[in-house]
Amino acid sequence: MRSPEKVLNSLTEHSKISEYKYERLYRILFNEEMFYVAYQNKYAKQGNMTPGTDGKTADRMSISRIEHLIERLKDETYQPHPARRIYIPKKNGKQRPLGIPSFEDKLVQEVIRMILEAIYEGHFEDSSHGFRPKRSCHTALTCIHKTFTGTTWFIEGDIKGFFDNINHSVLINAMQERISDERFIRLIRKFLNAGYMENWKFHNTYSGTPQGGIISPILANIYLDKFDKYMNEYAQSFDKGECRRRSSEHRSLETKKYSLQRKLKVETDENIRKQLIEEIRAVEKEWVKIPCGDAMDKNWRRLKYVRYADDFLVGVIGSKADCTQIKADIAQYMSEKLKLELSDEKTLITQAQKPAKFLGYEIFIRKSNATKRDKNGTLTRAFNNNIVLHVSSEVMKKKLMDYDAIRFDFSTGTEVWKPKARSYMKNRDMTDILMQYNVEIRGFYNYFSIAHNSSAMNSFYYIMEYSMCKTLACKMESTVRQVRKKYYKNKKFAIPYVDSKGNTKYRVFYDEGFKRKTAWKNASCDNIPNTMFTKYPSLVSRLKDRTCELCGTEGETTMFQVRSLKTLKGEHEWERKMKRMNRKTLAVCVACDEKIHNKSSRD
């Protein structure tokens, strides 16, 4: 049986050859090792302990359970279960539907995802950043920062209800261009048509990808790769001119500068030479402030494009009329070829000096006459026409409102931010409260750390710091002044606690500042060739060992799993064993498995 790495890397060899068609993919699903890797990849997430419509979870996973799953795939009797639909709140007050697939369906989807990633990763365009290995929101934003220089207009793109409106026929036709294996295609179609259960009522799915499905992100990228390639071709036909025409003012000042330099070379009188040097420097200062290129050059156009999931941003060097035409062409392509609709509310044409919104950031072009000398000593306007990434006060305000850490005072006629106690947290342990604030501050900073105004997050930090103090004061039935006096030591806010060994330690409130970071990777290149790596399936090795980790009995074992170690009280031997091992899984024999589940159900 071939190892998963060899299987996947053999697929990647042809990934960048667009004419190559893959055959006999379905048989890869008969490889047990692929499912072992899939299990290793997916078991740890707490959501896997939430039962799907079949009532099963990651608990009680065994070798025989995987073998039975493969047998059903071999004779094509395997049928995905409908996802169990629940709703989670969105920031705008609406609710987002979320599907919970059964765990066995997750395993099959994970194997399919690995196969599709090996096939398509080298085929996708560099402009795509969502749901791809080694790519993220930060790589998309960094790409914009590096390549959108000089942009005059932005087109903020958003596809209306994208994941719910993916046309199954369009998706299958796109996949059949690269995959010539009807059984594999049929399996994907089964997942697309599996439907969902809501309030124990079955609903068919005639469009969209599986809600909460593991294969949904890569299917979405396969679907929109057509659009990425269209935009790449569109940019090539839109771009015009080898270089921008030079402005008449810039040429005039350059001519004047060279004329003065020629006079300086032949002049011998020191007083006149000093005067010429002063004139040259004055011309240079004026010259560097004038744009080299003619901003109104109609023979110079450029288009840049970046996409993350269903959000995309187009940067245009051209006229507003060009942008209106581009937007209309995109809408027409979406409608005719992909059966999708652009959101009128969110697809906007924005002048580049005004902020466009993308992935939570505000993006705009900086106009600046500030100068500095380059590595050759030449004076340049190094900051002009550069892209600026900003975190807005509105984003900070919304996040603080989500945390319920802020209130607003309008007594002065303006909106003043005031920290607020989060009373719903007062029953938690004090160190847990501090750690929760730390996690929230770090999470917000990590996402917006590449913003050019990252220091603006100090206002966010101030509200969070005093909100924490107010929350602790609420818990202690004290005041903020007393809380700060008690726990503020050596310019740090720290709460003492005793660890498991009886040592006194301190939980320190975040105090590392908000210095701007640089994204680690240029999104337009791969540091490593398109090579697939897989995790060593240690869980399956424990099952194959056929030794009960609780009583030591040899024989067939199954994997007992809990949602979190925090839920274990240590009342039973298996709980103490898992805590000692620091694992939320335990390979146990059939007898021990029954005992554990009987005790768990009684508890």
Side-chain angles (χ1 to χ4, degrees):
M1 191 176 294
R2 295 176 69 194
S3 72
E5 278 192 14
K6 287 183 179 179
V7 171
L8 297 174
N9 284 317
S10 67
L11 297 177
T12 63
E13 290 176 5
H14 306 286
S15 180
K16 294 186 178 181
I17 306 172
S18 56
E19 299 81 15
Y20 186 83
K21 294 195 79 168
Y22 289 87
E23 301 175 348
R24 304 175 72 186
L25 293 176
Y26 194 77
R27 64 177 185 168
I28 297 174
L29 295 160
F30 307 156
N31 187 332
E32 291 180 20
E33 298 287 339
M34 294 292 292
F35 284 89
Y36 298 160
V37 172
Y39 176 42
Q40 187 71 39
N41 288 346
K42 291 295 164 190
Y43 87 98
K45 292 188 177 180
Q46 291 189 7
N48 292 321
M49 293 303 293
T50 302
T53 51
D54 64 346
K56 295 180 181 178
T57 67
D59 185 30
R60 289 183 161 171
M61 178 52 64
S62 64
I63 302 293
S64 59
R65 190 172 164 184
I66 291 174
E67 290 172 348
H68 179 61
L69 180 59
I70 292 173
E71 286 302 318
R72 285 187 288 144
L73 286 165
K74 283 182 178 178
D75 59 21
E76 293 194 64
T77 58
Y78 170 78
Q79 180 63 43
H81 294 87
R84 183 161 70 89
R85 174 165 285 192
I86 60 172
Y87 289 89
I88 56 175
K90 294 170 70 174
K91 292 179 182 178
N92 59 9
K94 298 180 180 179
Q95 289 190 315
R96 185 191 304 278
L98 181 67
I100 302 174
S102 71
F103 185 68
E104 289 184 2
D105 291 342
K106 288 181 182 179
L107 290 182
V108 177
Q109 286 193 41
E110 175 63 9
V111 175
I112 293 173
R113 185 202 63 78
M114 290 190 287
I115 294 170
L116 292 177
E117 186 178 295
I119 292 171
Y120 281 98
E121 186 55 34
H123 180 70
F124 289 150
E125 295 292 315
D126 284 332
S127 53
S128 168
H129 293 262
F131 316 122
R132 292 183 62 187
K134 297 182 181 154
R135 296 190 180 224
S136 64
C137 295
H138 280 191
T139 60
L141 291 160
T142 301
C143 184
I144 290 169
H145 179 239
K146 291 184 176 180
T147 62
F148 279 45
T149 302
T151 293
T152 53
W153 297 93
F154 292 119
I155 303 174
E156 306 169 48
D158 183 86
I159 303 168
K160 186 181 286 185
F162 170 64
F163 286 95
D164 291 331
N165 293 313
I166 287 177
N167 186 284
H168 291 174
S169 297
V170 173
L171 176 60
I172 293 298
N173 289 339
M175 296 184 72
Q176 285 175 333
E177 292 177 8
R178 300 222 74 198
I179 297 172
S180 182
D181 186 335
E182 282 305 311
R183 289 200 296 172
F184 189 78
I185 295 292
R186 275 202 303 273
L187 179 60
I188 291 175
R189 194 184 285 276
K190 282 182 179 181
F191 279 107
L192 293 174
N193 298 328
Y196 64 91
M197 296 284 287
E198 185 175 358
N199 296 325
W200 300 107
K201 184 179 179 181
F202 175 75
H203 298 265
N204 279 309
T205 46
Y206 300 104
S207 64
T209 54
Q211 289 283 347
I214 293 165
I215 57 172
S216 294
I218 194 163
L219 291 180
N221 274 337
I222 292 169
Y223 198 88
L224 286 180
D225 183 60
K226 290 281 186 184
F227 178 59
D228 297 337
K229 286 178 168 50
Y230 168 77
M231 290 303 296
N232 185 33
E233 293 172 4
Y234 195 102
Q236 291 176 19
S237 62
F238 179 85
D239 291 354
K240 194 176 185 181
E242 291 297 322
C243 63
R244 196 193 293 266
R245 184 181 63 202
R246 291 181 64 195
S247 68
S248 57
E249 288 180 276
H250 196 272
R251 285 201 307 270
S252 175
L253 287 170
E254 186 179 43
T255 302
K256 186 176 180 180
K257 174 187 171 183
Y258 290 149
S259 174
L260 291 168
Q261 286 177 335
R262 283 195 296 270
K263 289 180 181 179
L264 182 64
K265 283 182 180 179
V266 297
E267 185 59 60
T268 57
D269 187 288
E270 282 300 318
N271 291 328
I272 298 176
R273 282 180 64 84
K274 285 180 181 179
Q275 185 179 348
L276 287 171
I277 290 170
E278 287 178 6
E279 287 182 27
I280 290 170
R281 286 176 177 171
V283 170
E284 280 183 340
K285 286 182 180 179
E286 190 66 26
W287 183 49
V288 81
K289 293 179 182 179
I290 303 298
C292 177
D294 183 359
M296 305 305 291
D297 186 0
K298 294 181 180 179
N299 294 316
W300 170 260
R301 299 191 311 187
R302 287 293 183 269
L303 185 148
K304 298 293 182 181
Y305 160 80
V306 164
R307 178 179 66 82
Y308 186 94
D310 57 338
D311 292 328
F312 62 89
L313 188 70
V314 180
V316 179
I317 299 177
S319 66
K320 188 174 182 179
D322 291 332
C323 295
T324 303
Q325 185 60 50
I326 292 166
K327 180 180 174 181
D329 291 341
I330 289 173
Q332 183 179 357
Y333 179 84
M334 288 278 187
S335 176
E336 292 180 358
K337 301 296 184 182
L338 300 179
K339 311 300 181 188
L340 295 171
E341 184 182 353
L342 282 183
S343 171
D344 289 332
E345 297 175 2
K346 299 179 181 178
T347 304
L348 307 172
I349 297 173
T350 309
Q351 210 281 331
Q353 291 182 49
K354 297 179 180 178
K357 292 180 173 62
F358 186 65
L359 300 179
Y361 279 72
E362 286 189 343
I363 301 171
F364 59 90
I365 284 285
R366 175 191 285 137
K367 290 293 182 181
S368 172
N369 286 326
T371 59
K372 78 171 190 176
R373 297 194 180 275
D374 62 16
K375 60 183 179 181
N376 298 320
T378 305
L379 204 62
T380 61
R381 288 193 304 163
F383 309 103
N384 190 49
N385 277 335
N386 284 351
I387 287 286
V388 178
L389 306 175
H390 259 213
V391 51
S392 68
S393 59
E394 192 64 29
V395 167
M396 290 187 281
K397 175 182 170 181
K398 285 182 179 178
K399 183 58 71 175
L400 290 166
M401 289 172 67
D402 289 342
Y403 292 150
D404 195 26
I406 192 173
R407 63 182 179 86
F408 304 102
D409 184 0
F410 297 95
S411 59
T412 60
T414 58
E415 182 182 270
V416 179
W417 295 7
K418 298 283 188 178
K420 174 185 173 184
R422 297 160 75 176
S423 56
Y424 63 89
M425 296 175 67
K426 67 180 181 181
N427 292 327
R428 298 186 189 180
D429 186 77
M430 293 188 66
T431 54
D432 288 342
I433 293 173
L434 184 146
M435 289 300 293
Q436 180 67 29
Y437 276 89
N438 279 354
V439 166
E440 291 165 351
I441 292 168
R442 281 197 174 93
F444 188 79
Y445 171 48
N446 285 341
Y447 185 75
F448 289 101
S449 59
I450 63 172
H452 289 84
N453 68 330
S454 59
S455 60
M457 281 184 270
N458 280 304
S459 58
F460 173 84
Y461 177 79
Y462 167 81
I463 297 293
M464 290 293 279
E465 180 183 14
Y466 277 86
S467 171
M468 180 197 66
C469 291
K470 281 176 171 285
T471 304
L472 293 174
C474 180
K475 178 180 177 63
M476 297 167 61
E477 297 182 352
S478 182
T479 64
V480 170
R481 180 188 290 272
Q482 289 174 332
V483 168
R484 288 177 61 82
K485 184 177 180 181
K486 182 175 182 179
Y487 295 113
Y488 218 93
K489 307 289 183 184
N490 300 321
K491 297 183 179 181
K492 291 186 178 182
F493 189 96
I495 297 177
Y497 71 98
V498 179
D499 66 10
S500 58
K501 297 181 179 178
N503 299 321
T504 299
K505 294 188 176 180
Y506 290 87
R507 291 266 190 246
V508 180
F509 185 62
Y510 181 86
D511 64 343
E512 297 166 23
F514 301 100
K515 185 179 178 181
R516 181 174 181 258
K517 296 179 182 178
T518 304
W520 67 276
K521 182 180 183 292
N522 184 347
S524 63
C525 66
D526 288 326
N527 289 336
I528 301 175
N530 194 28
T531 306
M532 307 294 289
F533 298 97
T534 57
K535 294 179 183 178
Y536 178 72
S538 59
L539 284 173
V540 174
S541 297
R542 290 162 60 196
L543 288 172
K544 284 183 174 181
D545 192 43
R546 295 175 61 83
T547 302
C548 178
E549 293 176 343
L550 190 58
C551 70
T553 303
E554 293 187 0
E556 186 177 350
T557 55
T558 186
M559 193 65 73
F560 171 69
Q561 183 169 331
V562 296
R563 183 181 293 271
S564 172
L565 286 174
K566 291 182 180 179
T567 61
L568 302 183
K569 300 176 182 177
E571 296 176 354
H572 307 294
E573 176 57 30
W574 58 271
E575 291 180 320
R576 294 189 288 273
K577 177 87 173 178
M578 294 176 87
K579 280 181 169 289
R580 285 197 301 271
M581 294 169 68
N582 197 29
R583 286 175 173 168
K584 58 182 185 180
T585 57
L586 202 61
V588 294
C589 62
V590 176
C592 287
D593 181 64
E594 289 296 329
K595 287 179 184 178
I596 291 171
H597 281 91
N598 287 338
K599 288 178 180 178
S600 298
S601 61
R602 285 198 300 270
D603 293 343

